[in-house]
Amino acid sequence: MIKALITGGCGFIGTNLIRYVLSTYSDWRVVNLDLLTYAGNIENTQGLEEAYPGRYTFVRGDIADAGLIDDLFDRQRFDIVLNLAAESHVDRSIEDPSVFLRTNVLGTQILLDAALKYKVERLVQISTDEVYGSLGKHGQFTEDMNLAPNSPYSASKASADLLIRAYVKTYGLDAVITRCSNNYGPYQFPEKLIPLMVLNAYEDKELPVYGDGKNIRDWIYVGDHCRGIIMVAQSGVGGEIYNMGGDTQMENIEIVRMILDYIHKPHSLIKFVKDRPGHDFRYAMDYSKIETELGWCPAVKFEEGIEATIKWYLENKRWWEAVRTGEYMNYYERMYGGR
Ligand code: NAD
Ligand code: TYD
């Protein structure tokens, strides 16, 4: 049996990853450690204890709580740690960077200390393409590029990546970093572009597009990312970094129009609003390293993935109504009210 700690398992990617691992690898046991912030929903993992007896446990807790982490590692003796716990939304990081530093930087360092002390075989840090900064019209990010983060979110993720490098070099920790482009799919919190636009369109609300809508992201279906994370965990080389991307560079406005067309809503719902400060223009991933070394490449075409995702939101109204709490409504008003 492989005993794995997955942090942030009640969030978007964590939920998809835990479901993938439990259904694909019968020799993995998973402990999900999640603080259940506004972005974490315990309902996402409901039923897993019963569906996979003895293979899934949930623990509520903070990765930045050193006492809790030490106690958990001491009791569980994990073979592997997959760190997904994070504050993950750029706009929120612009509003208040402090919690991003606490969770994404300090929290990671506390996990690294525990991984060393309890001789974890491998730690995988789930990082992001945003650590590389912004691209102009041409080129792609490669693993050897300098880090040039532009938002408090990406700066916190880049800081964690640098700490990992230091723990590998200084203490000989076996850690690997994955950097992936923008994910989409089921269970994504409706503050991120795709689910926000789907729900606003469904409810005939305005679709707030930042600036001229021409910023470009490289979209990947979440299932492809999850598969890559496990390949890196199993076969990646210690100390290395692996980029993942979806081969789908699209302007935000193209995606928004596609969503409206799919739900049969008018383009007049689009509202161009004040741009995000420091808004990165374009992300695009060169994933040839993981493709050559581990045989990974994205499998889900954007047209199929976006259709499945829109359908999922339309069929899971109860899920998104429940996650849109009072806190979210206040955030939405603060963020878009005067824009
Ligand atoms: P998310 O915001 O949906 O989920 C984050 C989860 O972490 C939530 O369940 C939350 O409750 C939990 N959490 C937050 N602070 C915590 C703490 N202090 N202790 C324990 N748990 C805590 O994020 P996501 O989109 O699922 O992203 C997961 C990871 O993948 C993040 O590290 C993010 O940087 C990275 N990533 C995301 C994307 C993307 O497009 N979403 C792309 C590349 C990398
Ligand atoms: P987002 O989903 O927040 O991901 P990230 O900023 O991490 O790439 O945003 C994706 C793109 O969509 C980004 O260019 C900002 C833009 N965007 C909007 O135009 N309107 C919105 O309301 C949001 C949330 C994002």
Side-chain angles (χ1 to χ4, degrees):
M1 271 300 203
I2 294 169
K3 222 175 182 193
L5 172 66
I6 297 185
T7 68
C10 293
F12 164 46
I13 301 173
T15 295
N16 283 284
L17 182 66
I18 288 178
R19 288 173 178 275
Y20 170 71
V21 166
L22 290 174
S23 62
T24 313
Y25 299 97
S26 55
D27 58 340
W28 279 52
R29 266 198 55 194
V30 172
V31 174
N32 170 12
L33 174 73
D34 197 298
L35 184 58
L36 299 180
T37 67
Y38 79 93
N41 182 356
I42 187 74
E43 279 195 28
N44 292 357
T45 50
Q46 227 164 33
L48 293 181
E49 283 96 343
E50 295 75 30
Y52 302 98
R55 293 183 50 214
Y56 174 75
T57 314
F58 173 71
V59 177
R60 184 174 190 181
D62 185 349
I63 59 164
D65 179 340
L68 179 142
I69 292 296
D70 190 76
D71 185 52
L72 184 68
F73 276 65
D74 190 17
R75 279 187 291 116
Q76 298 280 353
R77 304 289 163 158
F78 299 113
D79 300 307
I80 189 153
V81 173
L82 309 178
N83 182 29
L84 288 89
E87 287 293 332
S88 69
H89 189 37
V90 172
D91 292 322
R92 287 184 189 256
S93 82
I94 295 168
E95 272 203 310
D96 178 10
S98 60
V99 68
F100 284 74
L101 297 190
R102 183 172 189 281
T103 290
N104 300 3
V105 186
L106 185 64
T108 301
Q109 180 249 317
I110 285 168
L111 287 176
L112 294 175
D113 279 345
L116 268 181
K117 180 171 171 189
Y118 293 102
K119 301 191 168 37
V120 169
E121 282 170 28
R122 166 156 293 178
L123 181 141
V124 183
Q125 173 71 359
I126 314 308
S127 186
T128 164
D129 58 356
E130 303 192 25
V131 298
Y132 296 117
S134 180
L135 290 167
K137 281 205 176 345
H138 305 287
Q140 290 184 317
F141 295 130
T142 53
E143 289 87 351
D144 55 6
M145 276 183 171
N146 287 339
L147 301 186
N150 294 315
S151 73
Y153 163 67
S154 53
S156 70
K157 294 294 291 186
S159 305
D161 286 7
L162 292 177
L163 268 176
I164 286 167
R165 178 192 156 89
Y167 272 65
V168 169
K169 299 277 180 198
T170 305
Y171 305 112
L173 182 72
D174 186 322
V176 194
I177 296 171
T178 64
R179 294 184 181 143
C180 190
S181 61
N182 285 62
N183 286 219
Y184 68 95
Y187 298 104
Q188 187 167 30
F189 196 86
E191 64 186 356
K192 304 280 170 72
L193 181 76
I194 290 181
L196 180 70
M197 298 300 158
V198 172
L199 301 195
N200 281 16
Y202 175 76
E203 296 183 319
D204 297 301
K205 289 186 187 152
E206 285 174 341
L207 276 60
V209 173
Y210 298 163
D212 59 7
K214 291 198 178 301
N215 299 65
I216 293 169
R217 298 291 181 265
D218 174 1
W219 294 94
I220 180 171
Y221 191 68
V222 64
D224 281 333
H225 183 195
C226 292
R227 187 167 43 84
I229 290 172
I230 300 304
M231 283 174 106
V232 167
Q234 290 173 327
S235 318
V237 176
E240 291 293 316
I241 298 165
Y242 295 91
N243 281 354
M244 282 182 259
D247 268 343
T248 306
Q249 291 181 53
M250 287 183 67
E251 289 183 351
N252 296 334
I253 189 69
E254 285 179 81
I255 294 187
V256 170
R257 288 196 187 115
M258 210 171 183
I259 292 170
L260 285 167
D261 292 344
Y262 187 86
I263 314 186
H264 304 296
K265 294 292 173 108
H267 289 194
S268 54
L269 284 174
I270 294 171
K271 185 185 179 201
F272 290 96
V273 300
K274 193 162 167 271
D275 209 353
R276 172 189 279 171
H279 195 175
D280 287 338
F281 173 62
R282 187 173 71 94
Y283 305 141
M285 285 305 236
D286 177 337
Y287 60 81
S288 51
K289 177 173 170 180
I290 188 172
E291 186 170 35
T292 313
E293 291 185 15
L294 308 184
W296 177 92
C297 66
V300 178
K301 290 203 170 55
F302 188 73
E303 296 69 30
E304 292 163 28
I306 192 76
E307 194 173 318
T309 303
I310 296 172
K311 266 199 188 132
W312 187 87
Y313 280 93
L314 299 181
E315 286 166 4
N316 287 278
K317 194 168 178 210
R318 209 188 60 79
W319 180 86
W320 51 261
E321 280 179 343
V323 302
R324 289 203 300 190
T325 57
E327 188 280 337
Y328 174 72
M329 294 307 182
N330 290 337
Y331 162 80
Y332 196 84
E333 183 48 35
R334 278 200 318 277
M335 182 56 57
Y336 297 100
R339 205 150 175 165

